[in-house]
Amino acid sequence: MALLQISEPGQSLDPHQRKRVVGIDLGTTHSLVATFKDGSAQTLGDSHGDHILPSVVRYTAEGAVVGRSARDHLVDDPLNTIASAKRLLGVAKDDLHGLNDALSYAFVDDARTNSLMLNTEFGVISPVNVSCEILSHLAQRGAEHLGGELDGAVITVPAYFDDAQRQATKDAARLANVSVLRLLNEPTAAAIAYGLDQGDDELIAVYDLGGGTFDVSILHLQKGVFQVKATGGDSALGGDDFDVRLAELFLTKMDKRSDALSLEQQRELMRVARLVKEALSDAMDVPVDLSDMFGHEFQVTRAEFNGCIETLVNDTLTACGQVFQDAGVRVSDVDNVIMVGGSTRVPYVLERVAELFGQAPYCELDPDKVVALGAAIQADILAGNRRDDSLLLLDVTPLSLGLETMGGLMEPVIRRNTPIPAAQAQEFTTYKDGQTAMAIHVFQGERDLIDDCRSLGRFELRGIPPMVAGAARILVTFQIDADGLLEVSAREELTGVESAIQVKPSYGLSDDDMMAMLQDSFVHAEDDKDARQLRELDVEAKQLHEMVSIALFEDGELLNDAETRVLQGALDGLKAAIEVQQVSELQKATSALSSESELLAARRMNKAIHKALAGEHVDQLSAE
C-alpha cells in the first residue's frame, strides 16, 4: 500500500521550495518592497539601485508613470501628477482641507457619490487606482528579484486606518493582482524588524510619523505573542503637514496669500518646503531661493521651523498620553521606544519624544525601511517558509463599532482596543407592534449619539414575524477579520431569516475625525451621559404614549367619564413633557401616565380573559 504524504500546515510538499512572498510598505511619501532571504530581511532595489520608490504617479494619454520620473513633474504638470494618494484613500471630497489639499487636482463632481475621483489626461481615476499603480510597480520589482510571480504579500497600513481605508488598500491590491496575505499594522511591523519579538516580556512603544499619517501603539510581547494593548494617532497628520507649515511661513515672509497662487506656484512652494525641511535636519539655518517663481530669497532657521510645527508635534504627544491611558500603563513602564517614518528624522521630533519617554528611542534602522523589513519577515512566516517561528500577532480595533438604536443612540457591540480577529453578538428587538422589518445601521465612534459618530453602512432584515413590540429576538453579529475588516449579520431567531453586509464604505474619516472622535468622547463624556439619558427617556415616553393612546381608542368604554378624563390628562401631560425635552419632566410625566394607565390595563386583561373563556364549561377547563 502506497504511503500518502501530508505536508505541515502552510508548508510546501517540497521542503526546499520557498514561496515567493514580499512585504510592502505602501507609504504616503515613499513606498518600498522587501523580502526575507539569506537569513535576513532586505529591501529590494530597482535597476538603478534605488530602494525607495516615491509614491507619485503621473498620468499621460498613454498611461501611468510611477516613481522618480513622475515626481519630476509635480510642478509643471500638477493636475496629472498625483502625490500622497495614501492620504486620499477612503476619504470623502468633503473632508479635504488645508493648503496641501488645495495644491491638488481636478476633482470630479458627481452628485451620486461623495467618493474622491480625479480627472487626468488619462481619464477619471481614484486614489485606489493610484495606489494600484504603486503596488503593481513594487510587486513587479519583487517578482524580478525572486524569479517568478509572487505568491502573496503582506501590506502595511497605519494602525489607525479605519475600515474604509483598510478596504481601499485591499481593493488597490486586488486591482494590482497582488494576493494579500495580511494587512499588517505599521507599528507591529517595525517592532518585528527590530527583532523585539525575540524578547521574553517587554512593553514597547512605537512612534510612527510618516509623510501623511501618525500612529502610536503600545505593544506587549510575551513568549512570542505580540499583543497590541492600545493604539491611537491621526490618519491625516504627518510630514506633509510640516511642509504645509513651512510653506505658510514662506508666504508670510513674502507677504503673499495661498489662495492667490496658481497650481504651479503652490506645487513649487511645497517642493521647496520639503527640501528646506530635510536640510534643517542637519543645518541650523537654510537659504530659501524662490526668486524664479516668486522673486524672493530669505533665510529660515531651525528655531523658526520648530515654532511652525510645535502644535503638530504636541498633537502627537497628546495622542501618546491617551494611548498610555487606554493601555493602562505609565510612561515609566515602557521598555523600548521605536521611531518609525521619515518624519522622525526631524531633530525637534526626536527631542520631544525622548523627553516624553525619558529615554533615547531606537533609531538604528532606517526609519523609511523598517516597516517594509518587518512586513517581509511576517510574510515569510505566513507563507510557511519559516518552520521554527511561532510569532503570533494580536492587533486591536481602534474605535468602537456598534448600531443605531431608537432615539438615535449608539449601542457599541465591539469596544475599541478589542483584540482582533474578533466576533461579538448582541440581541435587539422591535420597537412597534407588528414590525416585520428592521433597518440595521452600523456606526463607528465613541460618542453616545449617532450624530457624533461615523456611519459605516446599513442594510435591512426583512421577514420578521409580526409580533408585539419587544417580542422579536434579533441576533446581530459583528465579525472583524485579521485585517480589521468588518462584516455584520442579523438573524431573527424564531424563523431563521437573516441578512448581512460586508462593510465597504465609499469614503473614510475626515482629516480631523479619527482623533477628534476619540478626544471628544472624553471631553463630552458628561454631556453625552445626559444626552443618552434624555434620548432613552424620550423613546420610552413616546412608546408609552402611543401604547396607551391605542388602548384608550380601542377600549375606552371600559372606563367611566371621570376615569377617562384622568387618563387623558396624564396623556396630555406626557405629550407636553416630550415637547419640553427635560429629564425631570419626562420622568415625572412618564411615571404619572404609567400609574394612571394601570386601571385600563387591568380591565383590558380581564376583558381578554373573559373573551378567551366565553362558551367554555368548567368541566372542559378541568379536563384540559
Side-chain angles (χ1 to χ4, degrees):
M1 178 178 176
L3 296 177
L4 301 178
Q5 292 182 325
I6 301 178
S7 64
E8 294 182 42
Q11 297 290 342
S12 167
L13 289 175
D14 180 357
H16 302 291
Q17 180 184 344
R18 294 176 58 83
K19 291 187 178 179
R20 301 184 184 94
V21 293
V22 295
I24 295 178
D25 176 11
L26 180 62
T28 306
T29 309
H30 301 113
S31 295
L32 298 97
V33 59
T35 193
F36 192 92
K37 63 179 183 179
D38 300 330
S40 66
Q42 48 194 280
T43 56
L44 306 177
D46 62 15
S47 57
H48 302 289
D50 293 327
H51 288 236
I52 293 177
L53 176 74
S55 300
V56 183
V57 179
R58 183 191 181 207
Y59 288 91
T60 67
E62 290 74 35
V65 179
V66 182
R68 296 183 186 280
S69 55
R71 192 176 65 183
D72 292 341
H73 294 277
L74 276 170
V75 175
D76 62 56
D77 192 15
L79 293 180
N80 296 302
T81 308
I82 316 300
S84 299
K86 181 176 177 178
R87 297 191 74 159
L88 306 179
L89 276 176
V91 174
K93 182 185 174 185
D94 291 346
D95 296 333
L96 295 179
H97 305 288
L99 176 62
N100 55 326
D101 299 310
L103 293 179
S104 340
Y105 320 106
F107 290 108
V108 176
D109 289 322
D110 188 342
R112 296 170 301 174
T113 176
N114 200 23
S115 301
L116 281 179
M117 301 298 289
L118 304 101
N119 205 359
T120 70
E121 190 174 332
F122 184 69
V124 176
I125 56 98
S126 72
V128 169
N129 297 130
V130 180
S131 299
C132 165
E133 296 293 347
I134 297 169
L135 288 172
S136 295
H137 195 90
L138 293 172
Q140 181 60 34
R141 183 186 296 182
E144 290 171 358
H145 275 270
L146 296 177
E149 186 177 344
L150 296 182
D151 294 303
V154 168
I155 301 177
T156 61
V157 293
Y160 229 47
F161 252 25
D162 78 322
D163 192 82
Q165 293 161 312
R166 290 171 188 268
Q167 186 60 56
T169 304
K170 265 201 158 182
D171 289 343
R174 178 177 52 80
L175 289 176
N177 291 318
V178 175
S179 175
V180 180
L181 299 174
R182 183 172 181 180
L183 295 182
L184 178 65
N185 283 349
E186 291 166 2
T188 308
I192 294 172
Y194 268 104
L196 297 181
D197 54 301
Q198 303 303 313
D200 291 329
D201 192 346
E202 291 186 352
L203 201 64
I204 303 162
V206 182
Y207 181 100
D208 183 354
L209 186 61
T213 60
F214 168 68
D215 291 329
V216 57
S217 296
I218 303 296
L219 286 69
H220 182 222
L221 173 66
Q222 188 172 35
K223 297 180 179 179
V225 177
F226 252 133
Q227 181 177 7
V228 180
K229 301 289 288 182
T231 189
D234 191 335
S235 61
L237 191 160
D240 287 354
D241 299 282
F242 290 4
D243 300 345
V244 170
R245 294 292 177 91
L246 259 182
E248 290 171 346
L249 176 65
F250 296 170
L251 290 173
T252 300
K253 286 178 175 286
M254 296 186 296
D255 194 25
K256 292 184 181 295
R257 292 172 32 223
S258 62
D259 56 8
L261 304 181
S262 66
L263 285 175
E264 288 79 5
Q265 287 176 317
Q266 291 174 358
R267 280 288 177 88
E268 174 64 8
L269 199 64
M270 293 298 292
R271 186 189 69 83
V272 174
R274 178 174 57 83
L275 294 175
V276 170
K277 174 189 69 177
E278 293 170 356
L280 284 171
S281 292
D282 298 315
M284 298 305 294
D285 58 86
V286 173
V288 180
D289 185 359
L290 290 169
S291 55
D292 288 345
M293 196 168 282
F294 295 93
H296 285 270
E297 294 182 47
F298 46 86
Q299 293 280 124
V300 171
T301 67
R302 183 183 289 180
E304 287 179 306
F305 175 50
N306 292 350
C308 288
I309 65 172
E310 181 179 8
T311 58
L312 296 174
V313 176
N314 287 343
D315 287 343
T316 69
L317 301 182
T318 299
C320 291
Q322 184 58 62
V323 170
F324 294 145
Q325 184 175 331
D326 291 344
V329 301
R330 297 167 298 181
V331 178
S332 57
D333 296 330
V334 174
D335 297 301
N336 293 296
V337 182
I338 298 174
M339 301 295 276
V340 181
S343 298
T344 60
R345 289 192 176 93
V346 174
Y348 185 63
V349 172
L350 281 168
E351 174 189 324
R352 294 293 303 277
V353 172
E355 181 182 307
L356 173 67
F357 286 94
Q359 61 177 289
Y362 275 87
C363 300
E364 288 79 9
L365 295 178
D366 186 332
D368 281 322
K369 296 182 177 181
V370 63
V371 168
L373 295 174
I377 295 171
Q378 178 65 7
D380 209 48
I381 294 170
L382 293 177
N385 291 337
R386 303 172 68 182
R387 298 170 182 264
D388 58 345
D389 206 312
S390 59
L391 176 63
L392 176 64
L393 305 178
L394 296 176
D395 285 327
V396 296
T397 181
L399 289 172
S400 296
L401 299 160
L403 298 177
E404 175 187 3
T405 57
M406 289 304 300
L409 295 173
M410 162 70 164
E411 181 63 33
V413 177
I414 294 183
R415 298 277 182 177
R416 69 186 174 92
N417 285 327
T418 297
I420 57 174
Q424 188 70 39
Q426 192 165 324
E427 276 197 350
F428 295 85
T429 190
T430 50
Y431 175 71
K432 288 183 175 289
D433 290 344
Q435 186 175 337
T436 60
M438 177 180 286
I440 312 292
H441 196 173
V442 184
F443 279 86
Q444 181 179 41
E446 302 306 315
R447 302 288 297 278
D448 284 299
L449 305 184
I450 61 165
D451 294 343
D452 301 314
C453 296
R454 183 250 175 146
S455 171
L456 289 181
R458 64 175 77 215
F459 64 102
E460 292 183 350
L461 177 66
R462 296 189 173 275
I464 301 171
M467 312 180 217
V468 296
R473 293 172 55 212
I474 314 297
L475 187 69
V476 179
T477 303
F478 279 53
Q479 291 181 298
I480 309 177
D481 65 19
D483 295 323
L485 300 178
L486 172 67
E487 181 170 318
V488 182
S489 62
R491 174 187 173 90
E492 200 285 307
E493 296 290 81
L494 182 63
T495 62
V497 297
E498 56 187 334
S499 183
I501 181 175
Q502 184 171 9
V503 178
K504 293 185 179 180
S506 59
Y507 57 91
L509 297 176
S510 67
D511 287 355
D512 300 324
D513 279 349
M514 187 61 86
M515 275 299 291
M517 287 168 75
L518 189 54
Q519 291 171 347
D520 286 351
S521 68
F522 294 95
V523 173
H524 299 288
E526 205 58 42
D527 293 338
D528 285 352
K529 179 182 176 183
D530 294 340
R532 172 175 278 274
Q533 182 183 19
L534 180 60
R535 290 286 181 94
E536 288 174 343
L537 282 170
D538 181 64
V539 170
E540 180 186 348
K542 288 177 178 176
Q543 191 170 31
L544 178 62
H545 189 279
E546 182 179 1
M547 290 170 59
V548 174
S549 296
I550 292 172
L552 186 59
F553 175 78
E554 292 179 346
D555 293 309
E557 74 278 359
L558 298 177
L559 301 177
N560 60 38
D561 290 344
E563 292 167 341
T564 300
R565 283 195 299 272
V566 171
L567 184 57
Q568 187 60 56
L571 277 167
D572 294 340
L574 183 55
K575 183 177 180 181
I578 291 172
E579 293 175 355
V580 172
Q581 288 288 294
Q582 289 183 357
V583 170
S584 59
E585 294 297 318
L586 278 171
Q587 287 175 329
K588 185 168 65 175
T590 300
S591 177
L593 180 57
S594 180
S595 176
E596 296 297 343
S597 63
E598 288 178 357
L599 180 61
L600 178 58
R603 290 179 181 174
R604 293 187 87 202
M605 179 67 74
N606 287 336
K607 177 184 174 181
I609 292 173
H610 284 301
K611 183 178 180 181
L613 297 180
E616 298 286 350
H617 192 277
V618 67
D619 293 335
Q620 290 177 302
L621 294 175
S622 300
E624 291 175 359

